[in-house]
Amino acid sequence: MKVVNEVNWMIGGPQGTGVDSSANLFSQACATAGLWIFGKREYHSNIKGKHSYFQVRVSDKPIHSHVDEVHILATFEDSTARLHAHEVVKGGALIYDPTKITLDDLNLKSGVITLPIDFNSVIRHVAEVTGMEYGTLSLMKNTIAVAASMALLRMDMAHIEATLARIYTGRKAKLVAPNVAATKKAYEAVDALPDEMHDQFPYHLEPKQNTPKRLLINGAQANSLGKLKAGCRYQTYYPISPATDESNYLESHPEYGIAVVQCEDEIAAIDMALGAATTGVRASTATSGPGFCLMSEGLGWGGMNEVPIVLFDYQRGGPSTGLPTRHEQGDLMFAAFGGHGEYPRLVMSPATINDHFHLAFESFNYADRFQTPVIVLNDKFLTHSLETIPPFNEANLIIDRGRLATPQELEAAMADGKGFPRFRPDAKTVVSARPYPGQEGSPYWMTGDEHDDYGHITEKPETRKKMHEKRMSKYRLMLEQIPEEKQFSLNGDPDADLTLICWGTTFGVLEDALPILKEKGINANFLHYRMLHPFPIASEKILKKAKKLVMVESNWGTQMGHLIRMATGIFIPTQVVKYTGRPMSLNEIIDSVEKIVKKQVPPEVDPLTGQSIEKVVLTYGL
Amino acid sequence: MKVVNEVNWMIGGPQGTGVDSSANLFSQACATAGLWIFGKREYHSNIKGKHSYFQVRVSDKPIHSHVDEVHILATFEDSTARLHAHEVVKGGALIYDPTKITLDDLNLKSGVITLPIDFNSVIRHVAEVTGMEYGTLSLMKNTIAVAASMALLRMDMAHIEATLARIYTGRKAKLVAPNVAATKKAYEAVDALPDEMHDQFPYHLEPKQNTPKRLLINGAQANSLGKLKAGCRYQTYYPISPATDESNYLESHPEYGIAVVQCEDEIAAIDMALGAATTGVRASTATSGPGFCLMSEGLGWGGMNEVPIVLFDYQRGGPSTGLPTRHEQGDLMFAAFGGHGEYPRLVMSPATINDHFHLAFESFNYADRFQTPVIVLNDKFLTHSLETIPPFNEANLIIDRGRLATPQELEAAMADGKGFPRFRPDAKTVVSARPYPGQEGSPYWMTGDEHDDYGHITEKPETRKKMHEKRMSKYRLMLEQIPEEKQFSLNGDPDADLTLICWGTTFGVLEDALPILKEKGINANFLHYRMLHPFPIASEKILKKAKKLVMVESNWGTQMGHLIRMATGIFIPTQVVKYTGRPMSLNEIIDSVEKIVKKQVPPEVDPLTGQSIEKVVLTYGL
Amino acid sequence: MVSKLQTPLTVSAYKSEVHNDWCPGCGDFGILQAVQQSCAELALPPGETMVFAGIGCSGKVFNYMATHGVHTLHGRVLPFAVGAKLANPDLEVVAVGGDGDGYGIGAGHFVHAGRRNVDMAYIVMTNEVYGLTKGQASPTLGRGQQTKSLPLPNTNDAIQPLALALSSGYTWIGRSYAFDGKHLKEMIKKAIEHKGMALLDVLQPCPTFNDLHTAEWFNKKVKGEGTTMLPRIFNANEAGHDGAVKDPTNHDEVADKQKKAFELAHYHGDRIPVGVFYEIKLPTYVERMQAQAPMLIKYSPARVPYEDASHLPTTDLSKSYEEFMF
Amino acid sequence: MVSKLQTPLTVSAYKSEVHNDWCPGCGDFGILQAVQQSCAELALPPGETMVFAGIGCSGKVFNYMATHGVHTLHGRVLPFAVGAKLANPDLEVVAVGGDGDGYGIGAGHFVHAGRRNVDMAYIVMTNEVYGLTKGQASPTLGRGQQTKSLPLPNTNDAIQPLALALSSGYTWIGRSYAFDGKHLKEMIKKAIEHKGMALLDVLQPCPTFNDLHTAEWFNKKVKGEGTTMLPRIFNANEAGHDGAVKDPTNHDEVADKQKKAFELAHYHGDRIPVGVFYEIKLPTYVERMQAQAPMLIKYSPARVPYEDASHLPTTDLSKSYEEFMF
Ligand SMILES: Cc1ncc(C[n+]2csc(CCOP(=O)(O)OP(=O)(O)O)c2C)c(N)n1
Ligand SMILES: Cc1ncc(C[n+]2csc(CCOP(=O)(O)OP(=O)(O)O)c2C)c(N)n1
Ligand code: SF4
Ligand code: SF4
Ligand SMILES: [Mg+2]
Ligand SMILES: [Mg+2]
């Protein structure tokens, strides 16, 4: 049986030895061949030496999730082989270095093809051929592993060569030749395999013609581009994984005229962004859990002063420093309720890598329209995942700066001489007119204390009441003004027997799961929340109509489940959760849904509600 | 009609002119006479000049709330008279300075008795009599206003004299004589009033014999004493209203051997307390909203490292700097869900001033027992309210240090040589054994990263799962191990027609309201939550049994109402809320409940849930 | 570039209508007035001037100015102000705040602001107490001293703000006194005019809580050199201290001026020096930003165009898309 | 009082079993080893020694020590460590952390720790980058410099940590180099033995991200006075610098030593001084606390008794109740 263009490739190795570069090379080569990619990266909070790995799933058609079974495992040292060999399916292949490890030490399934490559001898050969130094070529192990994989998959070497030329440019162009030489050598090694072996290995990659142009991009990059498109021109940050990638990307593109300021801490990051935002610039900051904690005070100030600001929280395993480089959807409740006292904020989370671009773009419109902080919950998973996606659809993008002060209003304020009534509720829009410093008639005051129309401090109960109600009524505006399709979506058969509920980046795996479940006779759909707080109450009709609900979240407490109950009273006792720091794989989802349908999940009592629940806790992934 | 020992006295004036001292003098004099007091203070976030006032309600029997109608308004300048004259009831009295204000300018009800006192001339007289300087006596206005009030109320001068002697001791003892002289003069002025006037004024204070010993104390003081009794010996703080009073009190009592450290900020405050707690000392910190925000990261570390720590959050009007010296119950959601990721914390709030002592005491036991942060939500209202209460009942106080390491365990660790398995889940208690540094065999590691039994960093999925589940299961332990009567209480007739629901310091006003409602034919009881998070699920039976529920909270969003729905699905559409920064008065509660019973509250749609609600928004109080 | 008014306004044009609620005799009055006078004399356009303030009695300055006034968060006045200035360098940005705010909770930002050399003035009202929270010790109060509200003498050592500023990289460092209106005004003007990060520490009597260092105390004559009695506060510049670096590339001169400023900041004895302690001309943060992102020479970040008249986004990402296109 | 072991342990007794995951050639190895050697030579009881660490590559030190090891929060190592030391002064508390941790996000605590003079050593690993987050500029990297990971040259000026410590009131200030094991160990021992707050800044090569200041760079000979080539790193104490104040009450001596330390901290040229920059004996925070709360002389806060054998609370509040009793 030949399996064409459906393969899950994995490479692993100690951090700092080029695992990422191999995965990029492999992915790009496949992309060059018109194939579709989904790549997932796992690594430790460590710079060099700890185990990391990258899985690249390749397919004929767009894919948005990873799977656990591995078809080719490419390794060049012992630890990866030891840790992952058991994941290789029967009929799959292991590429390994026989000078580093003996197969007997591995927990290999029978029927796995093993391809020994003496990496060092290949490198020595290349060094000889090219006259380059052995030492400078040691990272070439990765290219060799990729090339051997490609050869096994019967992919033409030309794709690798083209990719190498694309990757190594400028000062690095001299690396193309040795890498090509190494590639050739690896192909030779594979060609030398006995024919039976080749025949046994069913996985083939074939170039796909007429594939439209696509981006091969990760979440952090898509997010950055969305921000630039939106006109964000002031970004603050303090280094933190996995948020830093976004700021690094922006920093590397001064040509857009964006000021990227590395701050002394996250308090400064949010406050500097707020200070910037008061001048009218579209400002934002990006951080992760520990830094997010330090921003709660500033966010409250933004809420009180009705400052449009967007905070991108790249969620990672918590609490505290937790699992700094692992995945979790753990910050939802904090985003919704962080900060003392009450102020309105909008919390959203992108569905896909493509949606990273779109939500990042929209978020600035929302911030301006509702004049209050917007929190976007990204996460480690898609931030570092690589996907081939159609180019961003720029057709319907519109900049909405919200309720800016009109020239008439500025003139009136000037004539009046008391300052601009920045916080006076507008009879129609509720949200007030906003001038920028520098506009004549613009001066007004801002304070985190309760204040009157002009921004002067007041403790008058009636003014307090008016202002607090004005601010809080933005929740109503958000629910009314954000189109329903931007709040949530029901995907799949609306009359399905089972409705999976998820939010944020769990979209992709459920999207991929539906057809497979269908094949298995399970008619499921899924309700995806993109807007999380205020709760999209319009979705209640779907929840009420659904035949059976299953909550799917990457956290312990089903945080979205709690928000659903808070707003609707609906309790969802069937839950699929994961909190090992690894994202949910496609097969885990399939398995758990099957278990649920087959009533194989034992009931337990939820201590927090006293209700009987059935909970599947996923644990796969190293 | 003579009204004996039921009076609501108010004094006001610019801040810094002694309003507090007058209220203390008045309260103490009444207390000396065996009467019961409830005093409430309102002031601006300002040092000198802005309007402040203090209401002291005096009664025959214990009282726990304030009322809005004023029986005597004592003033010595114009603004207070202007602002509050309309609050004086018919038959009440106004004490005023005729050189400062004319009665025509005031909005007095007819039938209010007016008592002019030329304060300066009294002071001049005293200066002459005592030979003291006029300037040093100017604050005596307060004594004069109190004395005139007391004279009107026909209270014997001896109570003031005794109180003055109690207040002015040591270097200040020389102030007794002039104050006594001023008191006499004020009594003379009142005696000089025409008899009809005296007859018209129905309010009398009469000493009550055989009143048992009581404390006249405010919430901050009661709280501090509870902490000292519990053995808290390390307190950190950064100045912030209204939390500072607690730390100031502790700082003034070095005789208990408590280290009170003023930190550079609230981040240092929580982290220093955590650092201290790792040595085994019972440590805590006290702050208010903005400072609480800065503590979220530290709290998460405490949750991750299972450090017993108690954080006292003195709630004030939010968000941001908000209303720094006003009341609100606005931090509940933040306390429950603050901080990224998931970790267990216990959130409680004291019911009364007496309960400030008891909850402060208990909280350290809970922190030790569950080895996780405990957050106590105090608030501006009771912190600064003065009440006569029976002495704290010390009879049942027990120190519970929780699961400390046993000598056997320490020895085993020593023999083993790998360090102490500080985080190994205990088969019985779940919570792990805890040694102190300095105990032989004690060394172990702590990290905010996920860790193994010894506290070493790990990213292993299975260890992560085990540890996360262990920590989160503390929620179950809290619900099981904290006695139900410490979690919530149903007060009044269990079969009442109406169940008011409140939390924290709203207890007192509902306690006082029940008998009055009964007189009005309304059979109400109230369900008080003392434990707020995890939600006391055992209270569900009461919620389900109640005939009609009314949520009563000092915030906009009925935060407890949301927690109730999150845990039970029960939505409470009838709501009494207040968010002007002023606490709810007894008569406001009575009025709103009557309105609800009489169905006078128009329905509206709650945007967050789409449900029809009836909401009474209270606004009384300057 | 910050623009100036063609026709200067009067001082009262910089006064808002908000009732001032400082205590009688508070040094903050002197500082507020000097700020307003400086604005008038420098002809700053109120609509293009932003006064950022911390939280404290001092912080209320924001509300008394008839310019843009921003009351930030306690200890955070610098990040807010820096954010605004970098987003729109055409605005005149002035930061003010208390000593607790700036040197206490704000110490981290204080240090790092020195590293950026943003072109703005930072005026700190140093009263040795946390005024608005009722008189706790601020970081400028000496160890062992006990002002009115302290239950026990202060356990912490005082900070040396000017030395700290020097070690942090501030390019203009000065001190003045709240009730020396003339000197104060001139110093504020210099701090604002300086191209770079300027710290002006202002000694500010707090008659309500600081009973040790009152206006009388500051005005007292004390022993000078020898036995002559001299005013406690003296103008170090008049006394010969020249803190201005002439040639920033001359390391010896820089080292010498820094050393002298350091000594002056640690001045020991009963007398207190005021004046310009240190001054140097170095590239501002905006200049550094512009060097890296030339588009920011033409537009401030707040004014980079990104939409057209019909609100379509105009940022062309095609170059960036290329990186990812397959 | 911190107690010492009767029988000293070997260095390996201070090594935990945890696998070390620093990059090969990282300067942190040298520092860790010197800390362990110092513990052994000072005969510190592992169970009574607490090593607090910040977050960063450097922070992992906590896990490699076989003493109590506490991995705190990024930038917060000082408050945690101070909390422990004040709660139980009988423990030996050592704080360690990265330069981003201590001088960046932690700068506020860094400054205020100087004001308290808590008796402990703080060792900072200065590698000019944020190692663990992949090489961004830390506050010790000079302006215009571009280490490996920076997309553009650094826009911020560097901090002068030793000068900052001086201005903040640290009572012992020194610098050493990660790969000069002997000097480093002696300096660590001095810092630990010093009664008061000690800062030891350690120059630490980060071969992975700092390609400007590598071990080779530090080892290079450079132009000294005249044209002779001298080792880049030189021992200032051997070269004559004596930073130790003999008489802390002698203001002139203090001023002189501070000035000299300041100059050394701003040392200009290609050479880098290491050694003790400044040292003075002043009352520690615990001594100040004890002066105010005499009970703390007898008991540390962690040991004040408050329960009896049957867990009844023993704190007698009756005196306090009297204040309120009517
Ligand atoms: C995070 C935070 N902590 C504490 C406070 C409370 N607070 C308000 S003003 C103030 C002190 C102000 O002192 P300073 O900055 O010296 O100003 P001053 O009042 O003396 O002018 C404090 C601590 C706050 N608003 N926010
Ligand atoms: C509040 C917070 N912000 C950011 C981070 C992310 N972070 C982890 S390590 C680190 C930098 C460490 O740099 P440094 O202190 O110099 O230590 P090094 O790795 O260089 O030894 C940062 C920013 C964090 N953990 N917490
Ligand atoms: S408390 Fe002090 S600083 Fe504050 S206004 Fe009064 S005098 Fe000024
Ligand atoms: S990144 Fe640098 S500091 Fe971190 S372990 Fe590697 S060499 Fe050491
Ligand atoms: Mg101050
Ligand atoms: Mg570093």
Side-chain angles (χ1 to χ4, degrees), chain A residues 297, chain B residues 238-241 266 290-291 294 316 321, chain C residues 28 55-59 74 76 97-102 105 125 127 129-133 138 204:
Chain A
E297 196 193 8
Chain B
Y238 184 77
I240 191 163
S241 307
E266 288 88 350
L294 296 174
R316 63 188 216 185
T321 38
Chain C
D28 288 350
I55 300 286
C57 295
S58 43
H74 188 47
R76 316 302 170 192
D99 54 348
D101 194 86
I105 187 169
M125 280 111 135
N127 58 9
V129 292
Y130 286 109
L132 194 55
T133 46
S138 89
Q204 176 240 318

Side-chain angles (χ1 to χ4, degrees), chain A residues 43-45 267 289-290 293-294 296-297 300-301 304 318-326 328 330-331 333-334 337-343 448-450 458-459 461 464-465 468-469 471-472 475-476 479 534 537 540 555-557 559 562 565-569 579-580 582 607-610 617 619 621-622, chain B residues 43-45 267 289-290 293-294 296-297 300-301 304 318-326 328 330-331 333-334 337-343 448-450 458-459 461 464-465 468-469 471-472 475-476 479 534 537 540 555-557 559 562 565-569 579-580 582 607-610 617 619 621-622:
Chain A
Y43 62 104
H44 277 76
S45 175
I267 296 177
C293 272
L294 295 175
S296 4
E297 196 193 8
W301 192 93
M304 189 61 148
S320 200
T321 37
L323 295 164
T325 58
R326 307 291 179 179
E328 190 169 278
D331 297 355
M333 294 305 255
F334 183 38
F337 303 115
H340 67 286
E342 296 166 299
Y343 69 92
D449 286 22
E450 194 52 273
T458 183
E459 302 193 18
R464 158 67 170 184
K465 182 169 179 291
H468 201 50
E469 287 171 358
R471 288 188 299 267
M472 298 313 283
Y475 276 138
R476 181 176 54 75
L479 289 167
I537 193 71
E540 199 177 5
N555 58 49
W556 177 88
Q559 300 190 8
H562 282 109
R565 192 172 208 204
M566 195 186 275
T568 67
Y579 39 84
T580 55
R582 278 62 172 180
L608 292 180
T609 60
V617 180
T619 56
L622 201 67
Chain B
Y43 64 102
H44 277 77
S45 175
I267 296 177
C293 273
L294 296 174
S296 1
E297 196 194 7
W301 192 93
M304 189 63 148
S320 201
T321 38
L323 295 164
T325 58
R326 307 292 179 179
E328 190 169 276
D331 297 355
M333 295 305 257
F334 183 37
F337 303 115
H340 67 286
E342 297 166 299
Y343 68 92
D449 285 23
E450 194 53 272
T458 183
E459 302 194 17
R464 157 67 170 185
K465 181 168 180 289
H468 201 49
E469 288 171 358
R471 287 188 299 267
M472 298 313 282
Y475 276 139
R476 180 176 55 75
L479 289 167
I537 194 72
E540 200 177 5
N555 58 47
W556 177 88
Q559 301 189 7
H562 282 108
R565 193 172 206 206
M566 194 185 278
T568 68
Y579 40 83
T580 56
R582 279 62 172 180
L608 292 180
T609 60
V617 180
T619 56
L622 200 65

Side-chain angles (χ1 to χ4, degrees), chain A residues 75-77 95-101 115-120:
Chain A
T75 72
F76 44 77
E77 39 74 66
I95 296 167
Y96 73 105
D97 189 334
T99 69
K100 299 278 166 61
I101 201 157
L115 168 54
I117 294 192
D118 179 346
F119 285 82
N120 283 332

Side-chain angles (χ1 to χ4, degrees), chain C residues 259-270:
Chain C
K259 193 180 69 185
K260 288 192 175 133
F262 181 81
E263 285 187 57
L264 200 61
H266 283 270
Y267 191 90
H268 180 70
D270 288 339

